[in-house]
Amino acid sequence: MTGSTAGRTDPATARLPAWRAPAATRSNALPAGAWWLWALGLATAASRTTNPLLLGLLVGVAGYVVAARRTDAPWARSYGMFIRIGLFVIVVRLLFSVFLGSPIPGTHVVFTLPEVPLPAWAKGVRIGGRVTAEQLLFALYDGAKLAALLICVGAANSLANPARLLKSLPGALYEAGVAVVVAMTFAPNMVADVLRLRTARRLRGRPTGGVRAVLQIGLPVLEGALERSVAVAASMDARGYGRTARVPAAVRHTTNVLTLGGLLGVCAGTYGLLAAQGAVYGLPLLIAGLVAAMAGLRLGGARSARTRYRPDRWGVRAWLVAGSGAVVAAAMIRAGSADPAALHPGVVPLTAPVLPLWPAAAVLPGLLPALVAPVPPSPTGFEEQV
């Protein structure tokens, strides 16, 4: 029997291949910003195309990464809700096209609705009338594009820890970030309370449906929400939340100018990137706006007298995750300039969409987080290691 364990190998990790990502721990967990940059890259790529095959591929990539690297935390269960919201958006877009018409001309009439007569001043607006296959297909493509954007954002919500995202915010945005994080975590915790109370009532043989059951469940849920709010307020007060340091007036004015000008530049640059006509000036404006906004936020953070406990560090894996999303976005923007017809299939005349090969291949780097990100611990992971 040896008295030292220095040469031993953990049996849980000895069975893993050398290329496989390690198990997630507090020290090697990815920063929340890396997940958001990856998801925003996929969302940018989705905004550049209306091809349903490419949009489906982007959604499939996001869904695979979420399934592979999602934890059991309350916020990680929101991905399914975003999928349902995306499907709802598609249905609403189709209904708007059916009842309010569409500027897309078409010859294949599907059905005709009674048309509401409108006054002369509402020329160009139509309620009812004929519905063509071309306008339905155009509405489907447009709704699928917005749905893919929402699902990509939902992937970031499922993978990124909101509390760790708050730690990564600049000091100038700390107060707003706290409000956003509390709002994001309130709904999942409330849903968990409802499920817990419904299960308890079912085990006691009490009904879980009906107005009376909802009223009896609602009071404990509200009581738990109030207790959490009081606990959050007490912990924030104990940590000195809200303390500000004095800064000169010139620094405050410079901060306001840089932040406001930078945000305007970011908005103009983003619009330029999303609009085909402004792609030339969009990237320079976006970079200049980001630099100015970051400088303003750094100056504004001088008012926030706070420190970070165990700050998140960006390692190689975090840069690979964030960079994979940027590669997908850049490749899709390049494809939109080189072959716009492949990314925006026509509806007049009716043609089936075709999957372009190299834009589809450019989406595949978005799967990299499923390989390099740390593996979330399983419910039986502790027993396996013991």
Side-chain angles (χ1 to χ4, degrees):
M1 179 180 296
T2 60
S4 175
T5 59
R8 294 183 183 178
T9 303
D10 188 357
T13 59
R15 297 189 300 267
L16 298 178
W19 52 267
R20 185 170 177 179
T25 60
R26 178 60 184 83
S27 60
N28 68 354
L30 289 182
W35 288 119
W36 272 100
L37 290 176
W38 166 79
L40 290 177
L42 296 185
T44 302
S47 68
R48 304 296 296 185
T49 179
T50 56
N51 191 320
L53 301 179
L54 289 176
L55 292 175
L57 186 59
L58 286 168
V59 171
V61 166
Y64 181 80
V65 175
V66 169
R69 293 298 182 264
R70 182 173 56 179
T71 63
D72 293 331
W75 62 82
R77 305 169 188 169
S78 62
Y79 187 69
M81 180 187 66
F82 278 91
I83 293 178
R84 289 190 289 270
I85 293 176
L87 296 177
F88 177 74
V89 166
I90 295 176
V91 173
V92 170
R93 182 65 181 87
L94 288 172
L95 291 177
F96 269 90
S97 177
V98 168
F99 291 103
L100 300 180
S102 173
I104 301 298
T107 57
H108 298 79
V109 179
V110 180
F111 55 88
T112 303
L113 297 175
E115 188 170 354
V116 178
L118 298 176
W121 55 266
K123 185 178 181 181
V125 179
R126 177 171 64 87
I127 301 178
R130 65 174 191 168
V131 178
T132 63
E134 288 82 356
Q135 77 178 64
L136 290 179
L137 191 60
F138 177 79
L140 178 63
Y141 289 171
D142 200 30
K145 175 181 176 180
L146 183 55
L149 284 169
L150 292 173
I151 292 174
C152 290
V153 173
N157 278 278
S158 300
L159 294 169
N161 188 332
R164 299 188 69 181
L165 181 63
L166 174 63
K167 291 175 59 177
S168 304
L169 288 178
L173 298 178
Y174 186 63
E175 296 179 1
V178 169
V180 172
V181 169
V182 171
M184 290 173 59
T185 55
F186 175 77
N189 288 328
M190 187 172 64
V191 172
D193 287 346
V194 171
L195 295 177
R196 177 175 54 83
L197 291 172
R198 285 172 60 90
T199 303
R201 290 180 63 87
R202 192 178 297 112
L203 291 175
R204 292 181 175 91
R206 297 180 181 179
T208 58
V211 178
R212 184 177 179 181
V214 171
L215 293 177
Q216 292 177 352
I217 291 175
L219 184 60
V221 170
L222 293 177
E223 182 181 358
L226 181 60
E227 290 179 355
R228 280 195 301 271
S229 300
V230 173
V232 170
S235 64
M236 292 167 63
D237 183 67
R239 289 169 173 80
Y241 174 77
R243 293 185 297 113
T244 57
R246 293 185 178 182
V247 294
V251 176
R252 292 200 305 269
H253 297 328
T254 305
T255 300
N256 295 333
V257 171
L258 287 175
T259 304
L260 182 59
L263 292 178
L264 290 176
V266 169
C267 293
T270 303
Y271 175 79
L273 287 178
L274 297 179
Q277 293 81 4
V280 176
Y281 65 84
L283 185 60
L285 270 179
L286 180 61
I287 294 176
L290 286 175
V291 171
M294 290 175 64
L297 292 176
R298 186 167 184 83
L299 287 177
R303 296 183 66 250
S304 177
R306 70 185 183 99
T307 58
R308 287 188 176 94
Y309 174 66
R310 299 170 69 179
D312 291 333
R313 302 187 182 279
W314 282 67
V316 176
R317 298 182 186 276
W319 286 112
L320 286 175
V321 169
S324 63
V327 168
V328 174
M332 198 63 67
I333 292 174
R334 178 69 180 87
S337 302
D339 190 7
L343 270 62
H344 301 277
V347 296
V348 180
L350 285 175
T351 55
V354 179
L355 181 64
L357 293 182
W358 77 266
V363 177
L364 298 181
L367 294 171
L368 187 62
L371 300 176
V372 301
V375 180
S378 61
T380 59
F382 179 77
E383 290 81 3
E384 291 178 359
Q385 291 182 7
V386 173

